[in-house]
Amino acid sequence: MNIILVGPPGAGKGTQAQRLVDNRGMVQLSTGDMLRAAVKCGSRVGVQAQTVMERGELVSDDIVAALIGERLDNDQLSGGFVFDGFPRTQAQACALDVLLHSRDRKVDHVIVLDVDEDILVDRVAGRFTCTQCKAGYHDNFKPTTTPGVCDQCKGPTFSRRSDDNEETVRNRLSEYRSKTAPILAYYAPERIVEHVDGMIDIDAVSNRIAAILDHDP
Ligand code: AP5
């Protein structure tokens, strides 16, 4: 089963993708994570992507489609893929269809996390990650149990993303509205688009997603 998670910045795509990895053995393919890794190691792709990401704009379709293509070839297909933050344009949706079709695969579900835009800036600005194990937290919504200590690996250091500031988040939202939301029309004829309320708590969102996947005929 291959799933696309769609939603504006801070909707909870990464949080729910991680749950699908943990609970169903799916492989998470996050183009945001891939691009941040490229920036960190200073590769050609990373150098091209860095300023675009810092402005909150979209990296070119060719670059992200190539990153996904490489991962489809290298990762185990067994549990299926959860695409987190890809596709983000109609050109990327078409590219994904071609990539999957050539591997005898298809998109089974497009799950949209609906969230009020007013709360997104708070959600994103409060987010932090363990530098050791990459577990994700939030100052208010998902703090560590012991302040300053990661629940999972007990690591003491955390980081925040450089594009998680208010101005950049507003640009990311604008890109979502103009370029990403329209891809839902691309998938509508296949009747695979399902909406989930992303405002309810994290476990409840996971349960709604599980209900959709478990009713797959
Ligand atoms: P990317 O890394 O994909 O960022 P994004 O889409 O802006 O999404 P986020 O990671 O900010 O949010 P999320 O929906 O994953 O929410 P999360 O689970 O973390 O992309 C970054 C940049 O890379 C882009 O701007 C672009 O430049 C580039 N890029 C990436 N992919 C691209 C592509 N395909 N094409 C072109 N360019 C691309 O949750 C947020 C916070 O809220 C967390 O703290 C979490 O704990 C909390 N939270 C989650 N769910 C809930 C809930 N239900 N209730 C309360 N709190 C919650």
Side-chain angles (χ1 to χ4, degrees), residues 8-15 31-32 35-36 53 57-59 64 85-86 88 92 123 127 137-138 141-142 161 163 172 198 200-202 205:
K13 304 180 296 292
T15 302
T31 40
L35 289 166
R36 279 184 288 279
M53 292 171 79
E57 295 169 4
L58 294 187
V59 175
V64 290
F86 178 89
R88 266 175 146 100
Q92 292 178 23
R123 266 203 194 177
R127 177 169 57 180
Y137 297 97
H138 189 278
F141 307 126
K142 193 186 165 197
R161 273 167 49 177
D163 61 347
R172 285 156 61 193
I200 55 180
D201 75 42
I202 293 173
V205 176

Side-chain angles (χ1 to χ4, degrees), residues 154-179:
K154 308 298 174 204
T157 52
F158 299 88
S159 63
R160 292 179 191 260
R161 273 167 49 177
S162 62
D163 61 347
D164 280 353
N165 59 77
E166 184 167 346
E167 186 187 351
T168 307
V169 175
R170 294 204 185 279
N171 284 343
R172 285 156 61 193
L173 271 171
S174 162
E175 291 283 76
Y176 176 78
R177 274 187 233 112
S178 62
K179 296 177 183 162

